[in-house]
Amino acid sequence: MTPPAPRDRLRVAIQKSGRLGDPARELLASCGLTWRESRDKLFLYGESLPVDLLLVRDDDIPGLIADGVCDLGIVGRNVLVEHSLGREEEGRPSGLTEWRQLGWGTCRLDVAIDEGQEWTGPEQLAGLRIATSYPHTLTRWLRDHDVRAEPVVLNGSVEIAPRLGQADVVCDLVSTGGTLRANQLRPVTTILHSEAVIAGPDSTLDDGRQEIADLLMRRLDGAVQLKESRLLMLRAARETLTDLLPLLPAGHEPTVLQVDDRTEVSVQVLVHGSVSWAKLEQLKQAGAHNLMVLPVEGMLA
Ligand code: ATP
Ligand code: ZN
């Protein structure tokens, strides 16, 4: 294969449609990226930054990065791990790694058995046919658990394989378990915890693309932090502060402002993650009132 031509623009692969496509695009847009669409809508030319998007099937993303066609990708860990193990099986290093974990698109790769059956442990799978779209990940897990079983590779409708007599049990992606239940299957063990990740090479990029990638990662970290930030505001009598302050959710140092008559204070604190009703009730019980939780639109320290 001829080496890829030098490039001074970053190319990011995301899923064209499906579960990860829209959130991936929204995440990149929240980093201030804008694009111009090609006529076929498969290539988005970056306008605000030299970051172009390639819209593809999620299964193609690791290969596109490994081959140098794209620099980064947003893909499920399940797809990345399967690809990397496949390459290693062929004796080639995958050369890919997770640059960031994104915390959404979460699911599990689970082994599921007939719902009427008891589960005694991995050794129960010995000699069975296991339908899966993730043969490399499954094979590694079987090897780690010293179990000899036979993966049956299917590219879709894995969950109906036992009913069709193609397999005895399945190893499939699960988020709520609804699809498995509808097929009289019960998840019994997890072989991989997955979420959407930024996949990229395990070495630095060439041609100045690393600099663009660094800038993108900085913006992305900021955008993620912003999305997870809330401003919690409350009023309270000054004498309740010693009880209240230790109860505040983890976050930045709170700002305490005096209100008119010196007996009241207003407290503001930037917190990470959402603030539960239980937490608000706890604060109220300790003397707080006028509690308010606000989203944060922008932040510059
Ligand atoms: P494509 O046409 O791009 O190949 P697909 O059908 O393989 O699409 P989706 O069903 O959109 O892909 O799933 C994409 C990713 O979403 C999965 O690889 C996985 O990381 C994640 N995901 C989250 N929850 C689930 C779930 N319940 N079932 C399947 N995938 C899930
Ligand atoms: Zn796919």
Side-chain angles (χ1 to χ4, degrees):
M1 210 175 81
T2 49
R7 279 191 283 119
D8 56 2
R9 302 179 64 83
L10 199 70
R11 204 176 284 161
V12 182
I14 65 169
Q15 198 186 12
K16 180 167 165 273
S17 50
R19 291 180 156 92
L20 306 183
D22 286 344
R25 206 163 150 172
E26 278 161 26
L27 177 68
L28 294 169
S30 72
C31 298
L33 302 189
T34 56
W35 304 276
R36 204 170 57 225
E37 283 186 8
S38 67
R39 196 165 303 163
D40 60 9
K41 298 202 160 91
L42 297 180
F43 186 83
L44 304 187
Y45 184 83
E47 290 182 319
S48 54
L49 278 185
V51 180
D52 304 326
L53 297 192
L54 202 63
L55 273 49
V56 296
R57 287 201 56 191
D58 65 343
D59 316 74
D60 295 336
I61 292 175
L64 287 168
I65 306 170
D67 292 342
V69 177
C70 289
D71 305 302
L72 299 175
I74 299 183
V75 69
R77 174 178 301 129
N78 50 307
V79 172
L80 181 63
V81 166
E82 180 65 15
H83 173 89
S84 298
L85 292 175
R87 295 271 283 216
E88 282 164 21
E89 204 107 307
E90 294 165 5
R92 297 186 291 168
S94 94
L96 299 185
T97 186
E98 289 181 15
W99 282 30
R100 292 292 188 278
Q101 287 87 41
L102 298 173
W104 42 267
T106 50
C107 57
R108 316 180 312 261
L109 189 58
D110 278 3
V111 172
I113 63 172
D114 190 294
E115 65 184 359
Q117 253 184 352
E118 230 188 290
W119 173 249
T120 51
E123 56 288 349
Q124 184 178 333
L125 300 171
L128 298 186
R129 296 164 304 158
I130 310 177
T132 190
S133 306
Y134 297 87
H136 299 294
T137 313
L138 173 61
T139 301
R140 180 186 63 173
W141 183 86
L142 289 169
R143 202 182 301 138
D144 288 350
H145 289 79
D146 214 10
V147 174
R148 276 169 186 272
E150 184 197 336
V152 176
V153 186
L154 298 176
N155 285 323
S157 307
V158 168
E159 65 283 352
I160 60 169
R163 270 197 290 155
L164 298 179
Q166 291 170 300
D168 305 299
V169 298
V170 307
C171 168
D172 201 8
L173 289 181
V174 182
S175 48
T176 60
T179 313
L180 290 179
R181 262 195 309 280
N183 288 284
Q184 288 87 51
L185 293 168
R186 176 169 75 97
V188 288
T189 189
T190 297
I191 74 171
L192 183 79
H193 289 276
S194 185
E195 65 187 296
V197 302
I198 306 261
D202 61 7
S203 53
T204 40
L205 299 165
D206 298 328
D207 316 324
R209 277 172 287 148
Q210 184 65 41
E211 228 170 280
I212 312 171
D214 289 343
L215 172 72
L216 182 62
M217 290 304 117
R218 273 199 304 277
R219 286 202 188 178
L220 196 116
D221 292 340
V224 168
Q225 206 193 1
L226 198 63
K227 208 168 158 198
E228 288 172 355
S229 296
R230 305 278 183 284
L231 185 69
L232 169 63
M233 294 171 67
L234 57 87
R235 296 274 292 251
R238 178 176 286 281
E239 76 249 24
T240 61
L241 269 184
T242 38
D243 291 338
L244 270 177
L245 291 181
L247 295 178
L248 291 176
H252 290 235
E253 192 67 16
T255 308
V256 179
L257 302 166
Q258 186 162 301
V259 190
D260 46 26
D261 63 357
R262 289 175 177 270
T263 59
E264 275 272 299
V265 288
S266 165
V267 180
Q268 293 181 4
V269 61
L270 191 66
V271 301
H272 306 303
S274 54
V275 183
S276 68
W277 283 108
K279 177 52 83 181
L280 292 180
E281 281 152 9
Q282 190 188 24
L283 289 166
K284 190 164 172 70
Q285 227 153 32
H289 59 95
N290 289 24
L291 290 131
M292 221 184 315
V293 183
L294 306 170
V296 181
E297 280 286 327
M299 213 166 19
L300 197 62

